[in-house]
Amino acid sequence: MSVSLEPLAMLAPMILSHPLALFGGANATIAAMKIATFNVNGVNGRLPVLLRWLKETSPDVVCLQELKSETFPQSAVRAAGYEAIWSGQKSWNGVAILARGKGMIETRRALPGDEDDLHRRYIEAAVDGLLIGCLYLPNGNPFRSEKFDFKLRWFERLIAHGAELLASGAPIVLAGDYNVMPTELDVYKPERWVNDALFRIEVRAAFSRLVAQGWTDALRTLHPAERIYTFWDYFRNAYARDAGLRIDHLLLSPSVAARLKAAGVDRAVRGWEKASDHAPVWIEVAEGAAGRPKRTSRLSSGRRLGIKNP
């Protein structure tokens, strides 16, 4: 079982009404940290891939999507040095947050705005001075279906929650599989995706509205003109042809964006045996004051598992 929700969920209103309550007060600092998001496409079946990646890259915080299970390999993850909170669902969906050597308090499970939504697509926690939201936005295909309508409704709820989070003043990272290619640079052949739910104009407009609230798209900010993908289909030799999509994103609140120093994709992981069709995406943030955003100079991390500098 995962961590009991009820007592921790009671802290969520406190975060919103007293935004620095869990983040060290007005003089809080953001710790230096590496934060990643990874759609594992089945956490139990692809556990060896997850554990190998954790060992080789040592992220401090990890957001996982598509657990596809009501159970979670807690013992194996703990042996790798990580504590975890998760919300699982049989055969599909499911999200988790992993933290290495850091205190973690779960603050929310499920996106607000629809009590009838039973999908396990959102989980949120305070981790070492940051509020981390892990999300798995609906795919929405086919276009002109109830699935597409549900995706748009879910997006509206995310936009509303995002605005509330930003208003709290807390340092925040919203990370996960957004199932959105924001621009033509984020898809290998945009003309083929015009009526796909991941690239429909309505979905891209919703993502733009979310970002316009004051979020920073970390990967695109540090790699503004580079064609970078985070997903390659299993079919038609997509990975070898680099026929990919950028659908996994980390959005940063202003105080976190001010400390952003590196971002990349561990592309090579997609080529491992029995890998997910997604690759991990990560950021590095420098230590600094949480309450006084100050934009740092644009830096690049160099070549990391297949990502080049812009």
Side-chain angles (χ1 to χ4, degrees):
M1 293 181 61
S2 60
V3 178
S4 175
L5 169 64
E6 288 77 8
L8 297 174
M10 294 175 63
L11 291 171
M14 181 178 70
I15 292 176
L16 298 178
S17 60
H18 303 284
L20 297 180
L22 291 182
F23 306 101
N27 297 319
T29 60
I30 298 173
M33 203 179 304
K34 182 176 183 179
I35 304 164
T37 182
F38 188 13
N39 181 321
V40 290
N41 193 17
V43 68
N44 292 304
R46 303 189 197 281
L47 183 60
V49 172
L50 174 62
L51 295 177
R52 176 184 170 186
W53 171 70
L54 290 174
K55 182 178 180 180
E56 290 188 9
T57 63
S58 301
D60 297 293
V61 179
V62 180
C63 295
L64 300 178
Q65 303 86 41
E66 275 204 275
L67 304 182
K68 294 184 176 180
S69 176
E70 294 177 315
T71 65
F72 188 84
Q74 185 174 17
S75 296
V77 169
R78 182 171 289 160
Y82 291 83
E83 293 299 324
I85 59 172
W86 72 94
S87 178
Q89 187 171 355
K90 184 178 181 180
S91 301
W92 63 319
N93 298 333
V95 286
I97 300 176
L98 280 54
R100 180 171 63 91
K102 298 181 181 298
M104 179 164 48
I105 300 175
E106 182 176 330
T107 56
R108 179 176 293 281
R109 182 176 301 206
L111 194 66
D114 184 356
E115 294 181 356
D116 295 326
D117 178 10
L118 301 180
H119 291 197
R120 308 299 189 185
R121 293 184 177 274
Y122 189 84
I123 195 167
E124 191 178 281
V127 184
D128 198 19
L130 291 178
L131 186 65
I132 306 290
C134 172
L135 63 97
Y136 175 44
L137 206 137
N139 178 287
N141 277 305
F143 172 53
R144 294 197 182 99
S145 70
E146 171 54 31
K147 290 182 179 180
F148 186 73
D149 293 340
F150 176 71
K151 178 174 189 169
L152 293 181
R153 292 195 303 271
W154 206 95
F155 226 138
E156 290 300 322
R157 290 161 56 201
L158 179 62
I159 290 169
H161 187 52
E164 193 172 18
L165 289 176
L166 283 178
S168 76
I172 307 160
V173 176
L174 284 180
D177 179 356
Y178 283 72
N179 269 317
V180 180
M181 296 97 79
T183 71
E184 291 189 354
L185 188 62
D186 301 311
V187 51
Y188 72 102
K189 285 192 175 180
E191 68 276 8
R192 295 187 178 182
W193 292 81
V194 173
N195 285 322
D196 190 279
L198 279 66
F199 198 56
R200 277 291 306 177
I201 188 171
E202 300 93 334
V203 174
R204 293 161 62 192
F207 185 84
S208 294
R209 286 170 51 212
L210 175 64
V211 173
Q213 292 176 338
W215 301 97
T216 292
D217 180 346
L219 190 63
R220 185 52 70 209
T221 295
L222 295 190
H223 302 270
E226 188 172 354
R227 192 168 292 278
I228 299 177
Y229 302 135
T230 66
F231 168 92
W232 297 260
D233 205 323
Y234 290 126
F235 302 105
R236 297 177 294 278
N237 206 26
Y239 178 65
R241 294 189 297 114
D242 199 26
L245 315 172
R246 187 176 78 96
I247 58 177
D248 304 273
H249 312 296
L250 294 101
L251 300 187
L252 317 181
S253 67
S255 58
V256 183
R259 303 298 167 186
L260 176 64
K261 67 174 186 176
V265 179
D266 289 342
R267 185 186 189 279
V269 175
R270 174 62 179 83
W272 292 355
E273 184 178 359
K274 297 182 179 180
S276 169
D277 43 9
H278 294 249
V281 186
W282 53 266
I283 63 169
E284 292 179 358
V285 295
E287 181 178 357
R292 295 183 295 276
K294 181 179 180 182
R295 174 59 79 180
T296 58
S297 60
R298 180 175 294 162
L299 299 176
S300 175
S301 62
R303 190 173 181 86
R304 295 285 187 92
L305 293 176
I307 289 297
K308 298 178 181 179
N309 291 343

